[in-house]
Amino acid sequence: AIEHSDVCILMLDATRGFESQDANIFWLAQRNRKGIVILVNKWDLVEKENNTAKAYEAAIRKEIEPFTDVPIIFVSALNKQRIYKAIETAVEVYNNRTKRIPTRQLNEVMLPIIENYPPPAIKGKYVKIKFCTQLPTPMPQFAFFANLPQYVKDPYRRFIENKLRENFDFKGVPIDVYFRQK
């Protein structure tokens, strides 16, 4: 079912917490590059204090690191609490997954960020990123063209991914960032 979907809604039992089977399903959906929404069901049965929801959400985000940009919604199917919000969020994640960013706008936003925070020099070689574009794929994939793409390491790749999320709202969707030879 995960392979044939665009957005996966992972429903957890609030009384049991985020179990290993939930984690396996989450990572399977993430590996298949699907949009993900996490629903915490039976929220009406949990004893609540001041920051119960925030603490619960923080615990889930800690389990799914580094992919923490996933919407988490607390619902109760029995009381029909926040059911429509769950569907609206799934549609929003689908729209984020199919979103296209014009190359001009992408370059106007990302190139100044890259200029201010360039990739670190490795072995005395400086990586210069000149141009970026979104690839024509069903999910968000971006190509950054550089003079020495083999020297761009994972921490900088994650930095670029976070800046894309920050500026273009890709909530709940995995992003692929590629560095290619100019």
Side-chain angles (χ1 to χ4, degrees), residues 39-57:
L39 297 186
V40 181
N41 193 21
K42 300 183 182 176
W43 192 241
D44 54 332
L45 301 179
V46 175
E47 290 183 32
K48 293 168 198 68
E49 293 175 17
N50 287 350
N51 293 331
T52 309
K54 279 187 181 177
Y56 206 95
E57 186 173 332

Side-chain angles (χ1 to χ4, degrees), residues 97-100 134-142 176 178:
R97 190 171 192 267
T98 57
K99 185 188 297 182
R100 305 287 310 152
Q134 186 172 1
L135 300 175
T137 56
M139 63 193 110
Q141 294 182 331
F142 298 91
D176 290 329
Y178 300 105

